[in-house]
Amino acid sequence: MGEERKTLIQAGELAALLASGADTVLLDVRWALGDAHGREHYEAGHIPGALFVDLETELSAPPAPEAGRHPLPEVHDFAATARRWGINEDSTVVLYDGTGGLAAARGWWLLRHAGAADVRVLDGGVQGWEAAGHGLETGTNTAAPGNVRLGWGHMPVIDIDAAAAFPGHGVLLDSRAAERYRGELEPIDPRAGHIPGALNRPTTENLEADGHLLAPGPLAAALEALGVQPGAGAQDIAAYCGSGVTAAHQVLALETIGVRAALYPGSWSQYSSDAARPAATGPTP
């Protein structure tokens, strides 16, 4: 898969890292579809020292039908945001949320895409932190500006045309809930269904009941049943979701088992906005 990097961090490891005084930037990405109160959740209780990250404005560009609900931010905007978070060239960045990493993974993916050297997601999120016996603080935090220099293009990406063609030569994973994949329910996007040929692997199935990521063995076995071979690369595996957020978690999960997957950022929100694109429904690709 190329360069090996540590993707997850456990609560005990994070506590030791923070206690060591190492240059650590802690980002709270409390966001979930249908829940607009992330900042309030953060202010009511967050890991000490964490900064709140607004997924809608800091991890996304403004929505547009032709780009999707959460387009990637412009590189210069994101680089300025990362410096505002206090990220330096040698910082360790740890992101977490309250939903098993499903939102935090968006920030992880963007920072990796931008070339940040050491970026991790807290396994189990804020709940895992508390379950390990660590406390929270209330209020808000700010940071002194950092000096990190970021670019773009360090993670594999596919566009709408490549996504449509991908099942012809590789495995395209639809990361949404099964009922949305089947087209039985579509609460937010223009049309129901999925990209023809895509296979359904809800990101929630990559998590234990407590929000920790599945161990590599069971995770690899479940994905191999969908045709994801050990050591596969971005030419073989790609992922999408509703708007490119939770699919980043699919990419993260795949990386923990040695598979490097491409992300389709526009995802179903972009694809379904184009009436000329075919859509499939039902449980089969």
Side-chain angles (χ1 to χ4, degrees):
M1 102 181 220
E3 183 184 359
E4 295 286 343
R5 297 195 193 186
K6 187 166 184 179
T7 300
L8 300 175
I9 189 170
Q10 303 302 319
E13 294 177 285
L14 175 58
L17 185 65
L18 295 172
S20 74
D23 183 355
T24 306
V25 176
L26 190 55
L27 302 177
D28 184 311
V29 193
R30 220 80 67 89
W31 177 91
L33 190 64
D35 182 355
H37 304 288
R39 185 176 292 277
E40 289 93 327
H41 299 322
Y42 162 83
E43 291 176 352
H46 54 263
I47 298 176
L51 283 74
F52 177 71
V53 172
D54 188 330
L55 185 143
E56 300 284 350
T57 61
E58 295 180 295
L59 302 183
S60 308
E66 64 276 11
R69 285 187 280 112
H70 293 108
L72 300 186
E74 294 294 332
V75 58
H76 57 274
D77 292 335
F78 186 68
T81 297
R83 288 189 290 272
R84 189 173 68 251
W85 291 332
I87 299 177
N88 296 309
E89 293 290 338
D90 58 352
S91 296
T92 294
V93 185
V94 178
L95 304 99
Y96 73 91
D97 56 30
T99 51
L102 295 179
R106 168 71 170 212
W108 167 86
W109 188 93
L110 281 171
L111 284 164
R112 286 282 301 274
H113 189 50
D118 188 2
V119 190
R120 313 179 199 181
V121 170
L122 175 61
D123 195 21
V126 67
Q127 297 92 338
W129 174 263
E130 289 190 280
H134 306 293
L136 303 178
E137 67 177 7
T138 59
T140 62
N141 291 312
T142 57
N147 61 19
V148 70
R149 292 171 304 216
L150 297 176
W152 224 224
H154 295 268
M155 295 288 275
V157 175
I158 59 172
D159 63 12
I160 189 170
D161 291 326
F166 208 90
H169 64 84
V171 177
L172 179 63
L173 296 174
D174 184 314
S175 308
R176 298 172 300 158
E179 60 269 23
R180 291 186 69 192
Y181 171 84
R182 295 191 298 261
E184 299 165 0
L185 173 71
E186 184 44 67
I188 192 164
D189 290 321
R191 287 186 288 157
H194 59 267
I195 297 175
L199 301 174
N200 190 211
R201 177 62 182 179
T203 48
T204 52
E205 293 185 3
N206 295 335
L207 297 171
E208 301 279 8
D210 62 2
H212 286 78
L213 196 69
L214 287 178
L219 182 61
L223 287 159
E224 193 166 355
L226 294 175
V228 178
Q229 298 300 316
Q235 73 278 6
D236 305 307
I237 312 293
Y240 76 94
C241 57
S243 65
V245 173
T246 58
H249 191 272
Q250 192 86 267
V251 173
L252 180 151
L254 288 161
E255 185 158 310
T256 68
I257 59 170
V259 174
R260 187 165 176 83
L263 178 73
Y264 169 32
S267 285
W268 186 247
S269 61
Q270 179 191 45
Y271 186 95
S272 63
S273 295
D274 184 347
R277 302 274 178 179
T281 57
T284 57

